[in-house]
Amino acid sequence: MATSVKITTIGNSAGIILPKETLARLNLEKGDTLYLTETADGIQLTPYDEEFARQIEAMETVMRENRDVLRRLAE
């Protein structure tokens, strides 16, 4: 689904205004950070929680290092 937005002046910069429905769908609020990624299909805006990404990375490390223990616990 495509949603059009207009580029507007914000101070000395330019920005876009996201519709309320888009903010709700992405679970975003004013002040949240969005990350812009250039893909083969165009530009992608995504919310990204760096702290959550670090926690997931730590969890994956622990799971790799303790695979046998976790396997026994799952039995």
Side-chain angles (χ1 to χ4, degrees), residues 66-75:
N66 299 299
R67 183 180 351 184
D68 295 334
V69 173
L70 293 171
R71 197 172 280 139
R72 283 190 209 139
L73 286 171
E75 293 174 355

Side-chain angles (χ1 to χ4, degrees), residues 1-38:
M1 176 178 148
T3 301
S4 67
V5 294
K6 290 189 180 187
I7 299 172
T8 186
T9 301
I10 301 175
N12 291 331
S13 300
I16 61 171
I17 306 297
L18 297 174
K20 247 188 334 183
E21 298 80 19
T22 301
L23 293 174
R25 196 166 48 250
L26 294 173
N27 196 27
L28 295 171
E29 297 177 352
K30 287 182 184 179
D32 288 350
T33 301
L34 282 177
Y35 292 85
L36 185 137
T37 306
E38 198 168 332

Side-chain angles (χ1 to χ4, degrees), residues 41-75:
D41 296 325
I43 300 296
Q44 178 181 26
L45 287 174
T46 56
Y48 176 76
D49 184 348
E50 189 175 330
E51 177 61 27
F52 181 71
R54 271 191 252 131
Q55 290 172 357
I56 293 296
E57 187 176 317
M59 179 210 54
E60 288 172 344
T61 301
V62 168
M63 288 175 67
R64 267 193 306 276
E65 292 172 355
N66 299 299
R67 183 180 351 184
D68 295 334
V69 173
L70 293 171
R71 197 172 280 139
R72 283 190 209 139
L73 286 171
E75 293 174 355

